[in-house]
Amino acid sequence: MTEPYVLDLHEVDASQAAVVGGKGAHLGALARIDGISVPDGFCVTTDAFRRVMAQAPAVGDQLDELSRVSADDREAIRTLSARIRRTVEGIAVPEDLAEAVVRGLDRFGEGTAFAVRSSATAEDLPTASSAGQQDSYLNVVGPEEVLRHVRRCWASLFTERAVTYRLRNGIDHRTVHMGVVVQQMVFPQAAGVLFTADPVSGHRKTATVEATFGLGEALVSGLVNPDVFTVRHDEIVDRTIGAKQRAVHALPDGGTREVPVDARRQEQQALTDAQVLELVRLGRRIEAHFGCPQDIEWCLAEDESGTGFRIVQSRPITTLFPVPVPVPESESDEGNHVYLSVGHQQMMTDAMRPLGLSMWQLTAMAPMLEAGGRLFVDATARLTSPAGRTALLEMVGRSDPLTRDALETVLDREGFLPAQPDVPGVAGDAPDSPAGRRGPGGERAGGAPAPIETDPAIVKELIERSQASLAALRRGIRAKSGPELFDFLLEAFGEHKRVLSDPLSIQVIMAGMEATWWLNDRLQEWLGEKNAADTLTLSAPDNITSEMGLALLDVADVVRPHPQVVAFLQGVADDDAFLEKLADLPGGAEARDAIEAYLDRYGMRCVGEIDITRPRWRERPTALVPALLDNVRNFAPGAARQRFEQGRQEAYEKEQDVLARLRALPDGAEKADETKRMIDRVRTFIGYREYPKYDVISRYFIYKQALMEEAGRLVRAGVLAEQEDVFYLTFQELHEVVRTRQADAELVQRRKEDFRSYQALTPPRVLTSEGEALSGAYRRDDVPDGALAGLPVSAGTVEGRARVVHDIADAELDAGDILVTTYTDPSWSPLFVGIAGLVTEVGGLMTHGAVIAREYGLPAVVGVTDATRLIRDGQRIRVHGTDGYVEILG
């Protein structure tokens, strides 16, 4: 069949989604797979849809109106989409197009029933299935009815679900077109769905079969509880037989209806065990053909040769988190692997663009693998070594119990990671802040302090070293461009790693952490006091991140006396050139200078700062304005100095209290002396832990400024369409573009689409090579019913209004509010000075949010699963920072 508007299903392949839509292309590809049976039929092409739409100019006007609607304006979407559907359904099908469809039907014979199915060009794609957004119709009989349902399929491109999906995903309505699949109707004894990977856990070797009697509509519509079979390694490992009280069957004259299932059959299996296993084997063949796990719709129908499975749809399972590709130590390295999320250590679980990923990989101290726009480290070698396993679990357990629980879940599976003899150095480098410092293998967590003197001059020396190295980097990069710039940067990355791996720096960090653990462990043992170090570390010196929050209070002191400046800042919105305009206002020059000075010191920071592609405060200073205005409104002059002194005094008083109570114990003088040494040690060293991250981000901004200048040259030369296209290239690819002056625009566009799909994925804390995503659970019995469990990271209890904030630029906080967010990195610190408590979904005992919460004396609980979903903005909550849970009060 070669009609211009109709293609036989066997003429279609997977490359023709633009011609017949995603579903049609997949069905055509399925029909070409050996041993896979697909109901016969044809596709009405997207050219037919475009021609029909061109006949209705009113639709163009309606689409213009629809494109201006917010994805959250449900009423407007409902009204406009219904109007467009009515317009499309009312369009007359051109005579030659109608004749082509009728000729497609003729070869099936009079009275044949058909399934008429929507097939949009944005459907069943590898990164977005768009499942269930358009309509399909079963048991359609007669040419007139088929043509009417073809029009209904065209109109279903504008269902509320489809329109909302496109608006939320930034897809232009005009770029999506509709094909229609017309297939001979199958009248099955059973039907259902097969997932070739577990859609919940992501396990790639686990298949799930859902089955019911009659047509699959009973399952899709939720009419029945289906039979559910779990299959692994060609064996049914679990089954649940549903009470299938009703089924959907076809009517002789067209259409379908619900019918009761005979009571004696309701709890019989819709498929035999042998049929379940046969179906899964067919699914594995389909999965291998398409190269990724599939969501398959099937039916089982008798024919002349007996019984047979028919595949009526297959689409990628787009919700699965991708599996990293391991870097094998040898060609035969085919064993299981366990990967740890770097993002959960770095407090940045958002998807990263390719340039950001590759820059972090090039500057990290441990090899890192990419999957789903995130970075992971392969912990397999450490976990197969008994010593490495113990050290890693102890370190991870102190920082993030959820990650430890996820790891233990994997390790408890006999044979998944066979133990190997201890090998020197096998514990390797942990993905600890800032870039994989040694820890879990080289030092015993919570053991004796590292052999380093408690001397503040050591911290001063390290900071001076960092500043000298940064100054050299700025001088050296200043005149570099073209390929020479990339050669310079590759050398600079070596210096970057040298600074990070400085043994003295690592000793200082470990000394501060170990002193913290020592104080918490011993003072709980000796005095029954939990997390005593939280108070003892208040206003610790040399903490660059907490200083950043206090410094913005000082900026607020400069702004506050000038009402016109305050009013101006309230209206700057997205105007990142606002600093240039400040000088025209009374007091504006002084305010501008204060903000500029702040940006000179901290302007390299931003939310998600480990991703070099994220806009820095210096590039987008409006991001700081809400926090600055909150400080103007909520604080009196001199608040920074007052808060620091208050914290220092509380720490001193806590020290005196603890030492006095210890001296009253048996061997009290010895305990008090040892504790005093540890308090001095923690206050000397704990603040420095934030400095290496500041150094890294300072370097990143220098790298970025040079790369963006190079991107500007590429745009001016016509090599790239826009500067930010470089974000979708790896560092190595960008180097090649600069060298050859040629760029692959299609690659950039594909990377942009991939990035959008990755943004919708939630990264797990632990991921296995079998695709299983594990986020861990709290095994606790000390949390009240209804409370949300988490990790206690900063002691105290506070009650207040929850403010659920996803972007620092949108934060509007009042004194006494409790910040609830997904994660915090150092860029959130300016908000910490004005809140009463902190709740995050991601975090650990020594991650940045926890450190700064303790520095400011804020009760904090981190690692609270789904906190931003379970806690509503404005609710009153109580944060138990000592015991690690959150109560929702109403």
Side-chain angles (χ1 to χ4, degrees), residues 677-738:
R677 285 195 298 273
M678 285 298 178
I679 292 173
D680 291 345
R681 194 168 184 78
V682 79
R683 290 194 65 81
T684 298
F685 292 136
I686 198 64
Y688 175 75
R689 190 177 190 278
E690 292 292 296
Y691 201 88
K693 183 70 171 285
Y694 175 79
D695 180 282
V696 166
I697 302 308
S698 297
R699 291 175 187 277
Y700 265 38
F701 191 39
I702 296 170
Y703 305 154
K704 181 179 185 180
Q705 287 173 309
L707 290 173
M708 294 311 290
E709 286 181 17
E710 200 61 41
R713 296 184 190 101
L714 292 172
V715 171
R716 290 190 292 276
V719 178
L720 294 175
E722 54 187 21
Q723 274 187 292
E724 292 193 356
D725 282 353
V726 299
F727 295 164
Y728 299 93
L729 301 171
T730 66
F731 178 85
Q732 298 86 342
E733 290 166 346
L734 179 54
H735 188 180
E736 187 67 9
V737 169
V738 169

Side-chain angles (χ1 to χ4, degrees), residues 77-154:
I77 292 172
R78 183 181 299 116
T79 302
L80 280 170
S81 61
R83 192 190 312 162
I84 295 172
R85 290 197 302 276
R86 286 193 299 271
T87 302
V88 175
E89 287 186 32
I91 299 171
V93 179
E95 188 175 340
D96 60 330
L97 199 161
E99 288 175 357
V101 173
V102 172
R103 280 196 295 274
L105 300 173
D106 284 345
R107 68 185 174 90
F108 292 95
E110 192 174 346
T112 301
F114 296 92
V116 183
R117 313 174 68 195
S118 302
S119 179
T121 53
E123 186 176 2
D124 294 348
L125 302 177
T127 57
S129 73
S130 308
Q133 291 178 10
Q134 287 87 39
D135 295 335
S136 293
Y137 305 94
L138 302 179
N139 202 30
V140 179
V141 180
E144 288 188 9
E145 282 298 291
V146 169
L147 284 168
R148 184 170 73 87
H149 284 85
V150 167
R151 288 199 305 273
R152 294 182 70 185
C153 285
W154 287 335

Side-chain angles (χ1 to χ4, degrees), residues 803-808 810-811 813 819-822 828 831 868:
R803 297 311 310 264
V804 180
V805 179
H806 295 283
D807 188 333
I808 186 175
D810 298 329
L813 301 165
L819 175 63
V820 180
T821 190
T822 307
W828 289 76
L831 298 186
T868 59

Side-chain angles (χ1 to χ4, degrees), residues 124-250:
D124 294 348
L125 302 177
T127 57
S129 73
S130 308
Q133 291 178 10
Q134 287 87 39
D135 295 335
S136 293
Y137 305 94
L138 302 179
N139 202 30
V140 179
V141 180
E144 288 188 9
E145 282 298 291
V146 169
L147 284 168
R148 184 170 73 87
H149 284 85
V150 167
R151 288 199 305 273
R152 294 182 70 185
C153 285
W154 287 335
S156 75
L157 189 63
F158 304 102
T159 62
E160 292 173 41
R161 295 190 306 277
V163 166
T164 302
Y165 179 87
R166 290 195 293 272
L167 288 171
R168 290 195 187 283
N169 287 275
I171 300 172
D172 185 344
H173 302 296
R174 295 175 187 275
T175 64
V176 183
H177 305 107
M178 181 68 82
V180 179
V181 178
V182 180
Q183 287 178 283
Q184 187 172 3
M185 185 69 189
V186 177
F187 301 98
Q189 292 82 54
V193 178
L194 160 65
F195 297 97
T196 64
D198 188 320
V200 178
S201 74
H203 197 282
R204 303 305 201 265
K205 295 184 179 180
T206 299
T208 302
V209 174
E210 296 183 355
T212 190
F213 295 123
L215 292 166
E217 290 301 294
L219 189 157
V220 173
S221 64
L223 188 65
V224 297
N225 292 320
D227 300 340
V228 181
F229 302 90
T230 303
V231 178
R232 193 176 299 135
H233 303 302
D234 206 34
E235 179 184 352
I236 298 173
V237 295
D238 193 24
R239 77 183 74 218
T240 302
I241 307 305
K244 302 170 288 295
Q245 297 176 339
R246 303 188 70 76
V248 175
H249 288 291

Side-chain angles (χ1 to χ4, degrees), residues 237-564:
V237 295
D238 193 24
R239 77 183 74 218
T240 302
I241 307 305
K244 302 170 288 295
Q245 297 176 339
R246 303 188 70 76
V248 175
H249 288 291
L251 294 169
D253 297 325
T256 61
R257 71 172 179 182
E258 296 177 19
V259 297
V261 175
D262 185 279
R264 290 169 298 180
R265 295 187 65 217
Q266 287 178 7
E267 296 193 13
Q268 290 180 4
Q269 291 186 188
L271 296 178
T272 66
D273 285 5
Q275 288 170 335
V276 169
L277 296 176
E278 178 190 352
L279 176 61
V280 171
R281 286 192 285 269
L282 290 174
R284 293 293 180 212
R285 189 177 302 176
I286 294 169
E287 178 184 68
H289 177 85
F290 288 116
C292 62
Q294 297 287 298
D295 167 0
I296 298 168
E297 294 181 21
W298 57 269
C299 56
L300 179 67
E302 292 186 359
D303 56 24
E304 296 79 6
S305 60
T307 61
F309 285 105
R310 314 293 171 82
I311 305 302
V312 295
Q313 189 164 339
S314 183
R315 63 172 73 91
I317 307 176
T318 58
T319 56
L320 299 179
F321 201 88
V323 179
V325 177
V327 179
E329 295 177 6
S330 68
E331 293 298 320
S332 60
D333 183 15
E334 297 178 356
N336 294 323
H337 289 257
V338 177
Y339 307 102
L340 296 184
S341 165
V342 173
H344 285 82
Q345 294 287 325
Q346 290 295 328
M347 297 298 93
M348 214 295 276
T349 53
D350 295 346
M352 295 169 67
R353 296 171 180 83
L355 184 62
L357 291 164
S358 64
M359 291 289 284
W360 196 260
Q361 288 171 309
L362 286 166
T363 54
M365 298 306 297
M368 294 189 178
L369 308 172
E370 183 273 332
R374 278 78 171 188
L375 291 170
F376 293 83
V377 291
D378 189 340
T380 309
R382 275 167 282 171
L383 293 171
T384 55
S385 152
R389 175 183 300 194
T390 300
L392 181 60
L393 289 176
E394 186 174 354
M395 173 68 81
V396 167
R398 283 186 176 275
S399 174
D400 182 4
L402 290 176
T403 297
R404 175 168 184 155
D405 181 78
L407 283 173
E408 289 177 333
T409 300
V410 175
L411 295 172
D412 285 345
R413 293 175 184 156
E414 188 175 348
F416 185 82
L417 285 182
Q420 302 292 335
D422 281 327
V423 177
V426 76
D429 296 318
D432 188 22
S433 175
R437 289 191 200 97
R438 185 169 301 279
E443 295 82 21
R444 185 166 61 87
I452 182 174
E453 186 181 354
T454 302
D455 182 358
I458 297 173
V459 173
K460 184 174 183 290
E461 177 190 345
L462 286 169
I463 292 172
E464 288 173 351
R465 284 188 199 176
S466 166
Q467 291 172 343
S469 179
L470 281 168
L473 175 62
R474 290 189 187 95
R475 287 193 303 272
I477 205 170
R478 194 169 294 143
K480 300 295 188 294
S481 64
E484 185 187 14
L485 169 65
F486 288 83
D487 294 339
F488 176 86
L489 284 172
L490 288 171
E491 290 185 14
F493 297 162
E495 169 67 4
H496 184 123
K497 289 184 178 182
R498 188 200 65 74
V499 171
L500 279 180
S501 60
D502 184 333
L504 183 62
S505 177
I506 294 169
Q507 279 185 300
V508 167
I509 291 165
M510 292 308 301
M513 292 169 64
E514 288 170 346
T516 301
W517 296 331
W518 190 97
L519 287 166
N520 281 335
D521 291 347
R522 296 297 185 274
L523 295 181
Q524 182 163 7
E525 176 188 346
W526 293 338
L527 300 177
E529 186 164 342
K530 290 184 179 179
N531 304 322
D534 292 359
T535 305
L536 293 167
T537 54
L538 288 173
S539 297
D542 299 312
N543 189 317
I544 188 72
T545 305
S546 63
E547 289 170 5
M548 178 173 67
L550 296 175
L552 197 64
L553 285 173
D554 290 335
V555 177
D557 287 352
V558 177
V559 170
R560 191 180 295 106
H562 307 293
Q564 286 179 269

Side-chain angles (χ1 to χ4, degrees), residues 518 526 659 662 665-676:
W518 190 97
W526 293 338
L659 296 177
L662 286 173
L665 299 176
D667 300 321
E670 183 180 340
K671 288 183 173 72
D673 289 346
E674 195 173 3
T675 299
K676 172 60 176 169

